[in-house]
């Protein structure tokens, strides 16, 4: 589903090379569905939709950075097949059904993947939550269709019986044919003893001169006529029976395929909706990977038509710079080769008049601003620094490059005027207008007057305008008109080369003399040019140069200030992080101390129960007071809030098992949770469950562990699973059959021995106890207890 683009000017999309950006974007999609969506992507004009899409891209970028690729494997674009399924006159072929099953498996995998990350990516989960549940269809197709695109024998009892009969008949036919070919009476009549077929019927290769010596039906002859191929009458009845049985097999296969086709057809609308949603998710995935590779940032979306980009780069310049360097080069390797652009529009001025030399980057700057606006409105991040902000323009207009039309007999100037007239008709306060080389292509005086009038018209319409020009009078217009500003592309007069940096607030010169000098223009021509310029406006070029030098010095001062400010902010962040770590460490130390005191007082109170009053009452009062104090510590309060907010499906940390699990059920009256860890279910008291692990080193410094895998590797040697040779199946069955309540088993998931408390042989599960913990485990997740060892470490 692409964003509505009815108002975005198609001509602008072409001149700003938005289709080329779509082509690059499509290469980052994980499926054909997402690639098609990327190639059809268009900018939109609805601010709420644009904000939502950019947020989805941001969420997906976070997910991809943390988890890598999404599980799109097997997904295909089967939308056209699903759309036509209700009009089919024949069932879907096995290959089509397998494609459907694998695609629906990808739908399920994506739903499960995003379900596990719904707290971190709620907008993506909102899409994934609407994906259909097709497990029944998937299971039935995979039960019936094999990976070689044939139906399994087990697809139906009838098909199983028919194929068994077919195999038996073929064996009988082959036995009888071998017997005939090996007969001493028939051998001399044969060209060879090979078992051959013609028209899928068995034949003997008989010498033509002996054709009447073998009773049977002539089915073929060799090209020379020396050999004839005869089906002996001795096998004809068996062959006819085989053909009838194979016909019944084909009919049964067709019946099964129709059943599967009708099953898919009954959910066709749900499947189509899910495929559209999968395409949207994959499009967000492509945008996220594109953003990560090109170091893009999420732009803020302004309510007002105010544009501010910081250190923006043209994405296609980055892309082609990579390709020019060869295979294996990433955007990060060429990132600094593209000069960044910073610009603003709509705050203190609505129109920006950019001047500067040819090849100085004016047109690239113009295209970069327009393209980034289109990318943002298509829900993409932009190749710019954080802090960039863009509005959602109702339309973007551009007049850039050579617009000459041979087909319509229009000159370059005429084409420009035709396009600009159309732009003026549609311009208003919420449009962005980009005009390249305004006033060029005709007499300079007339061009300047026309350019000034065009800018005045757009100024009255309050449109946002960026225009490039070489005409001096348009610089004057910018100086004398409110909310219009000059800008220039910087030129380094020391190296006689452009720096490609945009400087707002001052006009630029074309630097024609400097460029001509660098390119080898004869000295006599250059001297005469300077004399002619001196007789005109001698002070203008000098004034511009002085302004550029002053601006350059100010920019250097600002850059030094920004560096110092960033260093200070980083130092403050480090100090704040250290403070938070130390505070949490202090809270944890306090919590452990209070727990130790609580345990000690509890033991004392229990021992004092038999003491005469008032000592027993005093002990209970002391125990209640300590409990009140313990429940008021910072970590105790945090844990209490965590217990209040936890819900089924949340991922939690189980302290005694030192691993993570998922909450299945919460029994608040009993103060326990049922937690799934791998294939086991565990009853865990509230006080042994937290949102994350927290441990101390020898000096009391805190360390947070967030991966169950790293926690498991920290298990002591005695808790790790014993290394045992894999037992034969019969010994495993003997061990399971002999299990009874009270026996000890080893549970690898718990990394510990456990005592069997009950056995459910019908469900092949048992309940075990380890200390105060109880868990339900399947038979497949238990082992024999490790053998006892003597002091030398050998088995006792």
């Amino acid at each position: 589903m692409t964003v509505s683009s009815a108002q975005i000017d198609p001509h602008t999309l072409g001149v700003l090379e938005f289709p080329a950006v779509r082509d690059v974007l499509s290469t980052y999609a994980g499926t054909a569905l997402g690639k098609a969506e990327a190639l059809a992507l268009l900018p939109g004009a609805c601010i709420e939709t644009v904000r939502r899409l950019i947020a989805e891209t941001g969420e997906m970028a976070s997910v991809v950075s943390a988890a890598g690729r999404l599980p799109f494997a097997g997904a295909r674009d089967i939308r056209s097949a699903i759309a036509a399924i209700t009009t089919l006159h024949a069932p879907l072929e096995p290959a089509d059904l397998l494609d459907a099953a694998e695609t629906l498996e990808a739908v399920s995998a994506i739903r499960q993947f995003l379900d596990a990350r719904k707290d971190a990516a709620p907008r993506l989960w909102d899409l994934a939550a609407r994906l259909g549940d097709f497990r029944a269809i998937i299971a039935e197709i995979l039960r019936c269709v094999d990976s070689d695109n044939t139906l399994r024998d087990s697809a139906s009892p009838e098909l199983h019986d028919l194929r068994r009969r077919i195999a038996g008949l073929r064996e009988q036919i082959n036995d009888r044919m071998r017997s005939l070919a090996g007969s001493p009476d028939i051998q001399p009549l044969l060209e060879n003893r090979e078992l051959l077929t013609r028209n899928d019927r068995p034949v003997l290769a008989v010498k033509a001169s002996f054709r009447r010596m073998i009773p049977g039906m002539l089915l073929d002859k060799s090209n020379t006529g020396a050999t004839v191929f005869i089906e002996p009458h001795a096998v004809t009845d068996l062959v006819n029976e085989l053909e009838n049985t194979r016909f019944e097999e084909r009919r049964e296969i067709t019946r099964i395929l129709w059943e599967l086709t009708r099953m898919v057809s009954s959910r066709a609308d749900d499947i189509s909706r899910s495929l559209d949603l999968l395409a949207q998710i994959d499009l967000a995935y492509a945008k996220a990977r594109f953003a990560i590779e090109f170091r893009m940032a999420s732009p803020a979306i302004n309510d007002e038509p105010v544009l501010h980009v910081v250190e923006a780069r043209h994405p296609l310049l980055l892309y082609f710079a990579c390709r020019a360097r060869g295979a294996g080069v990433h955007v990060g390797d060429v990132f600094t080769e593209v000069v960044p652009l910073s610009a603003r529009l709509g705050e203190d001025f609505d129109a920006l008049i950019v001047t500067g030399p040819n090849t100085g980057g004016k047109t690239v700057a113009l295209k970069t601003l327009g393209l980034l606006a289109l990318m943002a409105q298509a829900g993409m991040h932009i190749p710019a620094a954080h802090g960039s902000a863009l509005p959602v323009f109702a339309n973007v207009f551009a007049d850039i490059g050579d617009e000459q039309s041979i087909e319509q007999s229009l000159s370059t100037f005429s084409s420009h005027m035709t396009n600009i007239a159309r732009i003026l008709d549609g311009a208003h306060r919420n449009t962005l207008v980009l005009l390249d080389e305004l006033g060029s292509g005709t007499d300079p005086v007339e061009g300047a007057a026309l350019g000034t009038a065009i800018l005045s018209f757009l100024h009255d319409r309050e449109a946002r305008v960026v225009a490039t020009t070489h005409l001096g009078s348009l610089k004057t217009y910018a100086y004398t008109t409110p909310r219009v500003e000059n800008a220039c592309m910087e030129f380094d007069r020391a190296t006689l080369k452009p720096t490609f940096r945009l400087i707002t607030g001052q006009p630029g010169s074309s630097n024609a003399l400097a460029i001509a000098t660098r390119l080898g223009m004869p000295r006599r021509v250059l001297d005469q040019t300077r004399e002619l310029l001196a007789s005109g406006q001698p002070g203008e070029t000098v004034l511009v140069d002085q302004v550029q030098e002053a601006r350059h010095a100010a920019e250097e001062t600002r850059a030094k200030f920004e560096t110092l400010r960033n260093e200070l902010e980083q130092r403050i962040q480090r100090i704040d992080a250290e403070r938070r770590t130390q505070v949490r460490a202090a809270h944890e130390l306090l919590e452990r101390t209070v727990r130790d005191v609580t345990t000690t007082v509890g033991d004392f109170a229990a021992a004092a129960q038999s003491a005469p009053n008032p000592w027993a009452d005093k002990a209970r009062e002391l125990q209640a007071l300590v409990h009140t104090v313990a429940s008021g510590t910072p970590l105790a309060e945090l844990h209490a809030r965590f217990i209040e907010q936890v819900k089924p499906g949340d991922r939690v940390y189980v302290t005694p098992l030192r691993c993570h699990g998922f909450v299945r059920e919460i029994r608040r009256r009993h103060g326990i949770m049922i937690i799934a860890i791998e294939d086991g279910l565990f009853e865990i008291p509230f006080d042994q469950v937290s949102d994350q692990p927290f441990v101390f080193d020898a000096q009391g410094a805190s360390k947070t562990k967030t991966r169950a895998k790293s926690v498991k590797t920290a298990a002591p040697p005695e808790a790790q699973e014993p290394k045992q040779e894999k037992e034969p199946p019969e010994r495993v069955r003997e061990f399971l059959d002999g299990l009874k309540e009270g026996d000890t088993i080893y549970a690898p998931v718990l990394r510990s021995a456990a005592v069997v408390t009950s056995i459910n042989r019908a469900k092949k599960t048992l309940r075990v106890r380890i200390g105060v913990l109880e868990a339900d485990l399947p038979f497949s997740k238990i082992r024999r207890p490790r053998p006892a060892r003597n002091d030398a470490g050998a088995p006792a």
Side-chain angles (χ1 to χ4, degrees):
M1 181 185 298
T2 54
V3 183
S4 172
S5 59
Q7 296 179 323
I8 300 299
D9 181 40
H11 177 268
T12 298
L13 298 178
V15 297
L16 294 182
E17 299 177 280
F18 185 77
V21 173
R22 288 190 307 210
D23 291 342
V24 178
L25 172 66
S26 69
T27 64
Y28 291 95
T31 69
L33 290 159
K35 184 170 185 175
E37 201 77 359
L39 292 173
L41 181 65
L42 291 170
C46 172
I47 189 168
E48 292 81 8
T49 301
V50 170
R51 282 176 172 155
R52 174 178 57 79
L53 293 175
I54 289 176
E56 287 176 3
T57 303
E59 288 183 358
M60 185 63 81
S62 298
V63 169
V64 171
S65 298
R69 291 181 176 272
L70 269 65
F72 286 115
R76 298 172 179 82
D77 191 351
I78 59 171
R79 288 179 291 190
S80 58
I82 296 299
I85 198 169
T86 56
T87 60
L88 290 179
H89 299 294
L92 292 173
E93 293 296 323
D96 298 327
L97 289 166
L98 270 186
D99 285 348
E102 290 174 1
T103 301
L104 296 179
E105 278 188 312
V107 169
S108 298
I110 289 296
R111 192 183 196 282
Q112 185 177 3
F113 180 87
L114 293 176
D115 185 15
R117 295 160 178 82
K118 58 187 174 186
D119 291 338
R123 293 176 181 83
L124 293 175
W125 171 241
D126 182 58
L127 292 174
R130 290 181 276 154
L131 294 171
D133 183 354
F134 305 106
R135 285 175 293 183
I137 294 177
I138 296 168
E140 186 63 13
I141 291 176
L142 296 182
R143 186 187 71 80
C144 295
V145 184
D146 210 340
S147 57
D148 61 355
N149 296 332
T150 61
L151 288 193
R152 301 177 187 271
D153 293 351
S154 57
S156 74
E158 293 80 1
L159 185 61
H160 179 271
D161 291 344
L162 288 168
R163 285 183 173 173
R164 188 172 59 181
R165 285 171 54 196
I166 288 171
L169 287 168
R170 280 177 173 162
E171 188 62 30
Q172 291 181 55
I173 291 169
N174 288 337
D175 288 346
R176 193 163 296 182
M177 290 293 289
R178 279 192 291 266
S179 176
L180 289 170
S183 169
D185 296 334
I186 293 180
Q187 263 188 16
L189 311 179
L190 304 179
E191 286 286 354
N192 57 66
R193 295 176 58 186
E194 294 181 15
L195 298 182
L196 306 174
T197 60
R198 288 295 185 272
N199 300 325
D200 211 20
R201 297 177 73 92
V203 293
L204 294 174
V206 181
K207 297 175 183 177
S209 56
F210 300 125
R211 59 175 296 183
R212 298 189 182 279
M213 302 287 293
I214 297 179
M217 181 168 53
L218 177 66
L219 295 184
D220 198 4
K221 64 175 62 178
S222 65
N223 291 334
T224 62
T227 305
V228 294
F229 300 96
I230 296 175
E231 178 189 294
H233 288 325
V235 297
T236 298
D237 289 342
L238 288 174
V239 173
N240 290 339
E241 185 179 354
L242 175 62
E243 285 195 346
N244 291 336
T245 307
R246 290 174 61 187
F247 174 78
E248 293 296 323
E249 178 199 23
R250 289 193 295 272
R251 189 162 65 178
E252 177 63 11
I253 288 173
T254 301
R255 184 192 68 78
I256 295 170
L257 291 177
W258 266 121
E259 279 191 3
L260 295 175
T261 300
R262 281 190 287 269
M263 178 179 282
V264 174
S265 177
S266 67
R267 299 288 303 280
D269 291 342
D270 290 341
I271 293 173
S272 295
R273 280 192 294 270
S274 292
L275 294 178
D276 288 342
L277 288 167
L278 190 66
Q280 292 181 53
I281 293 170
D282 191 17
L283 177 60
Y285 176 66
K287 291 175 183 176
R289 294 181 64 206
F290 188 27
I292 293 170
E293 173 70 15
F294 281 68
R295 299 186 179 183
M296 298 183 186
S298 174
I301 298 299
N302 292 328
D303 294 318
E304 294 297 317
V306 175
L307 176 151
H308 184 204
V309 295
V310 182
E311 295 190 350
R313 289 172 169 85
H314 197 295
L316 295 179
L317 288 182
L318 293 170
Y319 176 73
F320 288 116
C322 277
R323 293 189 60 182
R325 292 271 294 271
V329 177
H330 298 284
V331 171
D333 301 325
V334 299
F335 199 72
T336 56
E337 295 180 11
V338 178
V339 179
L341 167 75
S342 295
R344 69 184 194 276
L345 190 67
E347 292 175 332
D348 47 341
F349 55 85
D350 300 329
L352 192 64
I353 312 301
V354 184
T355 50
N358 287 323
T359 71
K362 298 190 302 297
T363 302
V364 171
L366 206 66
K367 285 188 171 184
T368 301
L369 293 176
L371 184 58
L372 264 58
L374 297 178
M375 289 175 65
Q377 291 184 212
M380 286 186 263
H381 287 184
I382 60 173
H386 290 285
S388 299
L390 294 161
V392 174
F393 292 108
N395 214 330
V396 179
F397 296 109
D399 182 70
I400 298 174
D402 186 356
E403 300 284 342
Q404 182 172 338
S405 173
I406 296 176
E407 180 182 358
Q408 298 181 21
S409 301
L410 294 175
S411 67
T412 299
F413 180 74
S414 298
S415 294
H416 279 300
M417 290 303 101
T418 300
N419 193 32
I420 290 175
R422 183 179 58 84
I423 291 172
L424 296 180
D425 185 54
H428 54 78
R429 184 174 183 271
N430 199 29
T431 55
L432 175 64
V433 178
L434 307 171
L435 303 173
D436 191 29
E437 299 294 354
L438 182 61
S440 64
T442 188
D443 176 79
V445 176
E446 291 184 358
L450 186 59
T452 301
I454 290 170
L455 291 174
S456 296
F457 184 92
L458 293 170
H459 182 265
D460 292 341
R461 291 283 185 96
E462 299 183 6
R464 280 20 181 187
V465 180
V466 182
T468 68
T469 186
H470 287 285
L471 300 176
S473 60
L474 296 187
K475 304 175 191 177
T476 304
Y477 172 80
Y479 272 130
T480 58
T481 307
R483 299 194 65 78
V484 181
E485 183 62 275
N486 271 306
C488 70
M489 303 306 297
E490 186 182 50
F491 187 84
D492 189 340
R493 298 184 68 81
T495 62
L496 300 181
K497 293 181 179 179
T499 67
F500 305 107
R501 292 180 62 242
L502 179 69
I503 300 175
T504 302
Q506 71 180 64
S509 63
S510 295
N511 291 289
L513 280 176
I515 294 173
T517 301
R518 179 166 63 89
L519 296 178
M521 185 67 67
R523 184 179 184 84
R524 177 182 171 185
V525 174
L526 296 172
D527 291 342
Q528 186 175 1
T529 303
R530 292 189 182 93
E531 291 174 2
L532 293 171
L533 285 173
S535 64
Q537 295 178 321
E540 180 181 343
T541 301
V542 175
L543 177 61
V544 168
D545 291 344
Q546 290 175 348
V547 171
Q548 283 184 331
E549 290 174 3
R551 187 58 173 262
H552 184 68
E555 286 290 326
E556 287 185 344
T557 303
R558 185 193 64 80
K560 291 178 181 178
F561 170 77
E562 285 293 324
T563 301
L564 291 173
R565 184 174 66 84
N566 291 337
E567 290 177 354
L568 180 60
E569 287 180 351
Q570 291 174 5
R571 187 174 301 176
I572 291 172
Q573 290 173 358
R574 286 196 299 270
I575 292 172
D576 187 51
E578 291 174 1
R579 179 192 63 79
R580 288 196 300 269
T581 299
Q582 292 173 3
V583 168
R584 183 167 177 84
H587 287 168
E588 178 69 11
L589 184 58
L590 173 62
E591 182 72 14
R592 291 194 172 191
T593 303
V594 170
R595 285 184 181 178
D596 291 343
V597 171
T598 302
T599 302
T600 302
V601 171
D603 294 342
F604 170 74
Q609 291 302 312
S610 58
N613 281 328
W615 303 112
D617 292 339
K618 293 292 185 181
R620 283 192 292 271
E621 290 175 6
L622 177 60
Q623 185 180 20
L625 178 61
V626 170
H627 178 74
T628 301
V629 172
S631 63
T633 63
L635 286 187
E637 292 178 351
L638 284 174
H639 186 265
R641 285 198 294 271
F642 162 72
I643 293 298
E644 288 178 3
Q645 296 171 2
V646 73
K647 58 186 181 301
D650 285 354
R651 186 171 183 260
V652 297
Y653 183 76
V654 182
T655 304
L657 299 182
R658 289 188 290 177
C659 64
H660 289 84
F662 290 91
V663 177
R664 284 286 185 85
E665 183 183 351
I666 302 173
R667 299 174 182 173
R668 298 192 182 276
R669 291 181 58 187
H670 300 89
I672 62 171
M673 298 182 194
I674 307 300
I675 297 178
I677 302 174
E678 294 190 14
D679 290 338
L681 294 176
F682 301 84
E683 291 183 357
I684 310 294
F686 283 174
D687 62 356
Q688 296 180 7
V689 180
S690 61
D691 58 338
Q692 61 181 347
F694 198 85
V695 297
F696 273 79
D697 60 19
Q699 287 74 35
S702 61
K703 296 179 180 179
T704 301
K705 300 195 174 194
T706 57
R707 294 187 181 176
K709 184 177 179 181
S710 64
V711 175
K712 287 183 179 180
T713 59
E718 64 270 18
Q720 295 176 358
E721 181 176 357
K723 294 181 179 178
Q724 300 179 6
E725 295 294 330
K726 187 173 182 180
E727 290 188 296
E730 59 273 9
R731 290 201 61 195
V732 174
R733 285 194 296 271
E734 179 184 343
F735 164 63
L736 294 174
D737 291 342
L739 271 180
K740 59 184 181 300
E741 294 179 8
D743 283 355
T744 300
I745 56 93
Y746 183 81
V749 65
L750 304 175
R751 295 167 294 161
S752 175
V755 177
V756 177
T757 59
S758 64
I759 303 174
N760 188 333
R761 297 193 181 277
K763 295 184 177 180
K764 294 184 178 181
T765 62
L766 49 78
R767 170 158 286 218
V768 299
R769 184 178 67 250
I770 306 173
V772 298
L773 300 181
E774 289 200 354
D776 293 317
L777 296 175
F779 285 175
S780 60
K781 292 297 180 180
I782 64 172
R783 303 285 186 271
R784 292 180 186 272
R786 66 174 69 193
R789 294 183 177 269
N790 58 27
D791 294 339

